[in-house]
Amino acid sequence: MAAPGGDSPDCTTLIVSTGNAGTAGPTTENYKCMAGTSMAAPHVAGTVALMQAVRSTPLTPAQVESILKSTLRAFPGSNDKPIGAGIIDANAAVNAAKTY
């Protein structure tokens, strides 16, 4: 599965996240454009946290995987890179977790 991660060097399709302006250590807070697993993994982790939050008993890792896979959205177009079976759909996954 895939999650939002961005791919544009000009920040038009990248994900904006909080950051720190320091290059060798912490200085002032700022925002920066980021891409890749650094942005995709938090989307998945957040979705799983929301899924667990709507449950009276925790989902197992296998149940989480099953729900995530069964609620993927189709990619809007084709891609020449291996990017998975679909895009994570947080709303659908949380709704499915309620009744799993």
Side-chain angles (χ1 to χ4, degrees):
M1 72 187 72
D7 65 356
S8 172
D10 63 0
C11 204
T12 57
T13 62
L14 293 176
I15 297 171
V16 178
S17 182
T18 55
N20 190 291
T23 56
T27 60
T28 57
E29 299 154 355
N30 67 357
Y31 294 95
K32 58 169 99 174
C33 297
M34 298 177 68
T37 55
S38 295
M39 293 291 94
H43 279 86
V44 178
T47 299
V48 174
L50 291 170
M51 291 166 59
Q52 296 289 18
V54 299
R55 301 277 305 172
S56 59
T57 57
L59 294 162
T60 67
Q63 290 170 323
V64 168
E65 181 180 3
S66 176
I67 291 170
L68 289 175
K69 286 181 175 179
S70 70
T71 57
L72 294 174
R73 286 187 293 123
F75 291 109
S78 62
N79 193 321
D80 61 348
K81 298 177 184 175
I83 54 176
I87 302 170
I88 193 167
D89 184 333
N91 186 54
V94 170
N95 285 330
K98 290 177 186 177
T99 58
Y100 191 85

